[in-house]
Amino acid sequence: MKRFAATLIALIIALPAWAEIEIKEVTSPGGITAWLVQDHSIPFTALELRFRGGTSLDDPDKRGAVYLMSGLIEEGAGDMDARTYARELESLAASFSYRATDDTVSISARFLTENRDEVIDLLQTTIHEPRFDEDAIDRVRAQVISGLKSDQTDPSDIAGRSFAEMAYGDHPYASDGKGTIESVSSLTRDDIVAAYDNVFAKDRLYVGAVGDITAEELGVLLDELLLDLPATGKPIPDKAKVTIDGGVSVVDFNTPQSVALFGQSGIDRDDPDFFAAYILNHILGGGGFESRLMQEVREKRGLTYGVATYLVPKDLASVYLGSVSSANDRIAEAVEVIRQEWARAAAEGVTQKELDDAKTYLTGAYPLRFDGNGQIAGIMVGMQMEDLPIDYIATRNDKVNAVTLEDVNRVASELLNPEGLHFTIVGKPEGVDG
């Protein structure tokens, strides 16, 4: 393990400059496509596998099945129970991690070149022969339910669930992908197996690899690992209809400080105006202490420790969200200031200096995302899922710099909808009609 840690340290030191990242598209002999960045400076590879669909594939009465399944994948496989599996993985100085979101199930693997064959054998068994033993299901189910109980006392989680129910109607996005205590409690092993069958298929697979591996070696690895997967999985759900009306809704909760989640309809990632909206968001609420909302709500009035906004372009719907918290007797003023700033940006746009400063920050910060082979592999998979060109990393900052003041101000007037902005407040807010 010490050797593995030393290798990781060397990895950080040896990273190539982001501008020199050269992505190559690789197709395995069996026809599986992947994006590869070769880096033979150290004997280490990061492999990212991502399956489109995620927790949105759950049936309404089986919410939480994909999330629970993803937590069980590493709880034993083939002839190995959970303990034997964990010992085998550690003996190879490798790491596997699994994550389920609304839109994806991801598998991240990190391994040394000297152990590559053994690691891929173990990962192949993991993906193709998960055991889903009853004792493992009970153990992981208890962990998930414990988390769900904790979420019930977290104002931010309560606000998120309430806002999603309003925004997405009867779409899977409207409920927590982790499920509810009731739905998770009722899931059976057959439900877990069905969730596995729904997700793991070649028609929704995206692959990124970075490190000490050639295109030929990667092709062989991919066929060994993935070629036997079924051709198709469960159909992806239809697009969600976003139904956000302006106003305020209050969830009564006994806390000295109210938490508010606010939002409106957003903009899709493939919209031609996405970069203008991205810059606009940075200026309005996404730019940390320099954003307009942070200046107006925190610095000038002292209403909060923090306020932030962010674009959320999911696969099946896009929204524009923000969050703020304040004392119960001051949250009404915070809401009013946010509304005013939303309206001011829509009506007046931004200034040339704000645009120039935002471009300087966004282009300067971009290289910091490429701080490890695993991060680069994940970024490449995200690029494929968003149908971005293979040279996107090299051209992304040019796209940011090409946005004009006229572009941002036109998008501000079209995108920002002060009348359609909805605030979901959890707490005991004073002076707010919900």
Side-chain angles (χ1 to χ4, degrees):
M1 190 55 70
K2 290 181 179 178
R3 183 177 181 182
F4 189 53
T7 301
L8 289 177
I9 293 171
L11 167 67
I12 296 172
I13 296 172
L15 283 174
W18 73 281
E20 299 173 0
I21 294 172
E22 182 178 347
I23 302 174
K24 179 178 182 179
E25 183 168 290
V26 174
T27 302
S28 75
I32 296 173
T33 300
W35 284 11
L36 167 66
V37 174
Q38 294 189 55
D39 175 11
H40 300 288
S41 60
I42 56 171
F44 175 87
T45 299
L47 179 66
E48 185 80 9
L49 310 175
R50 200 168 297 175
F51 297 84
R52 192 189 293 276
T55 62
S56 296
L57 296 175
D58 284 338
D59 291 335
D61 61 341
K62 303 294 181 185
R63 288 296 276 160
V66 167
Y67 185 81
L68 181 57
M69 180 273 295
S70 68
L72 285 161
I73 288 289
E74 60 181 340
E75 293 291 326
D79 61 359
M80 295 172 284
D81 61 15
R83 288 189 178 183
T84 306
Y85 180 91
R87 284 196 296 268
E88 178 68 13
L89 183 60
E90 181 160 356
S91 72
L92 293 172
S95 70
F96 300 159
S97 62
Y98 309 85
R99 181 168 181 257
T101 69
D102 283 347
D103 294 327
T104 64
V105 171
S106 302
I107 302 176
S108 305
R110 313 284 185 263
F111 49 86
L112 300 173
T113 302
E114 66 187 65
N115 295 334
R116 180 194 300 154
D117 291 345
E118 294 90 339
V119 170
I120 296 305
D121 284 345
L122 181 61
L123 187 57
Q124 199 273 349
T125 303
T126 305
I127 295 174
H128 290 267
E129 302 178 55
R131 291 166 61 104
F132 302 134
D133 291 335
E134 290 291 353
D135 61 335
I137 292 175
D138 291 342
R139 182 173 60 255
V140 177
R141 187 205 311 270
Q143 294 168 356
V144 172
I145 290 175
S146 176
L148 290 170
K149 289 179 178 177
S150 178
D151 292 346
Q152 290 180 335
T153 63
D154 186 324
S156 295
D157 283 311
I158 296 170
R161 288 194 300 277
S162 179
F163 192 94
E165 289 173 5
M166 171 203 64
Y168 300 119
D170 58 358
H171 193 272
Y173 284 175
S175 58
D176 193 335
K178 291 185 286 187
T180 65
I181 293 174
E182 292 74 22
S183 68
V184 174
S185 298
S186 66
L187 292 172
T188 67
R189 186 180 185 280
D190 287 345
D191 296 328
I192 304 302
V193 173
Y196 166 87
D197 292 337
N198 290 340
V199 168
F200 291 104
K202 287 183 289 190
D203 67 332
R204 61 204 55 209
L205 170 66
Y206 300 84
V207 182
V210 181
D212 183 30
I213 189 167
T214 66
E216 292 74 21
E217 291 168 337
L218 179 60
V220 172
L221 179 156
L222 293 176
D223 281 354
E224 178 184 346
L225 194 59
L226 303 163
L227 195 58
D228 289 342
L229 286 174
T232 60
K234 184 178 180 179
I236 304 295
D238 293 334
K239 290 271 189 179
K241 182 180 180 181
V242 178
T243 54
I244 300 174
D245 295 322
V248 177
S249 55
V250 175
V251 180
D252 186 65
F253 190 77
N254 190 22
T255 175
Q257 179 164 275
S258 291
V259 172
L261 183 66
F262 55 94
Q264 58 154 85
S265 296
I267 185 169
D268 292 341
R269 182 61 183 82
D270 61 357
D271 192 295
D273 286 328
F274 181 82
F275 276 105
Y278 185 64
I279 293 174
L280 170 66
N281 173 61
H282 180 85
I283 295 169
L284 180 57
F289 283 97
E290 301 305 318
S291 76
R292 285 187 178 186
L293 290 182
M294 190 70 96
Q295 289 296 313
E296 295 295 331
V297 180
R298 172 182 160 132
E299 298 301 318
K300 292 184 180 178
R301 297 172 177 82
L303 298 173
T304 184
Y305 286 111
V307 54
T309 61
Y310 33 94
L311 300 173
V312 187
K314 294 185 180 183
D315 281 359
L316 305 174
S318 297
V319 293
Y320 187 9
L321 298 178
S323 60
V324 65
S325 58
S326 188
N328 287 327
D329 62 351
R330 305 202 72 184
I331 189 70
E333 184 180 358
V335 167
E336 182 56 29
V337 173
I338 292 169
R339 283 195 191 283
Q340 291 172 1
E341 288 305 309
W342 218 263
R344 182 166 75 95
E348 303 174 8
V350 304
T351 67
Q352 185 65 52
K353 183 178 187 310
E354 287 176 318
L355 174 60
D356 293 341
D357 289 347
K359 286 181 177 180
T360 298
Y361 177 84
L362 293 173
T363 56
Y366 188 56
L368 301 180
R369 299 184 187 182
F370 302 88
D371 61 350
N373 284 8
Q375 284 79 2
I376 297 172
I379 289 171
M380 290 196 302
V381 170
M383 289 165 57
Q384 294 173 69
M385 295 190 72
E386 293 171 352
D387 200 25
L388 297 174
I390 201 165
D391 67 346
Y392 175 79
I393 292 174
T395 62
R396 180 266 194 189
N397 277 355
D398 294 337
K399 297 181 186 344
V400 173
N401 284 325
V403 174
T404 68
L405 185 63
E406 290 73 23
D407 293 332
V408 175
N409 289 342
R410 174 180 53 78
V411 170
S413 67
E414 296 172 352
L415 175 64
L416 298 178
N417 179 13
E419 300 303 317
L421 193 61
H422 189 98
F423 289 79
T424 297
I425 304 175
V426 178
K428 291 187 174 297
E430 298 176 11
V432 173
D433 295 325

